[in-house]
Amino acid sequence: MSDEIKLVMAVIRPDKLSDVKRALAEVGAPSLTVTDVSGRGTQPAKTGQWRGEEYVVDLHQKTKVECIVADIPAEDVVEAIQEAAHTGEPGDGKIFVLPVDDAYQIRTGKEGPEAV
């Protein structure tokens, strides 16, 4: 076990969440936080029509998955997410890895990697 704590944050297609959860469990990182988000990147805007008026949807619905790791390599988590979330189409998402200065478990008072 290393003393490093990392936050792996991924923005993925909502329909790939089940695959990502399964992949994370398989690499030993079952704990995660999931948030419904919207945003835009390089994925093209979509044009639609409602009541005869044209509109542009340039903020796409995505799912943000956050996973804190200390006892397994962040690279394993990144690889699992990449493989599970990949479709090959624009809008597959992004993964970010950030350092975490410290962690505290509220119930037990544990600190650092033990709190994760």
Side-chain angles (χ1 to χ4, degrees), residues 9-15 17 33-41 43 57-66 91-96:
M9 178 175 46
V11 179
I12 62 170
R13 296 173 180 271
D15 60 317
L17 179 59
T33 301
V34 176
T35 312
D36 291 326
V37 296
S38 61
R40 97 178 145 204
Q43 186 178 2
V57 176
D58 63 348
L59 293 177
H60 303 281
Q61 297 304 307
K62 299 291 179 185
T63 298
K64 181 166 69 170
V65 177
E66 296 170 303
D92 274 356
K94 300 272 193 285
I95 303 171
F96 306 96

Side-chain angles (χ1 to χ4, degrees), residues 26-50:
E26 288 173 6
V27 296
S31 301
L32 54 96
T33 301
V34 176
T35 312
D36 291 326
V37 296
S38 61
R40 97 178 145 204
T42 57
Q43 186 178 2
K46 295 179 184 175
T47 304
Q49 237 181 359
W50 188 71

Side-chain angles (χ1 to χ4, degrees), residues 8-24 43 62-65 76-95:
V8 180
M9 178 175 46
V11 179
I12 62 170
R13 296 173 180 271
D15 60 317
K16 298 303 281 182
L17 179 59
S18 293
D19 295 338
V20 168
K21 287 190 322 187
R22 189 176 313 109
L24 289 173
Q43 186 178 2
K62 299 291 179 185
T63 298
K64 181 166 69 170
V65 177
D76 292 356
V77 174
V78 169
E79 187 176 312
I81 295 170
Q82 276 180 317
E83 289 176 6
H86 181 264
T87 70
E89 297 295 321
D92 274 356
K94 300 272 193 285
I95 303 171

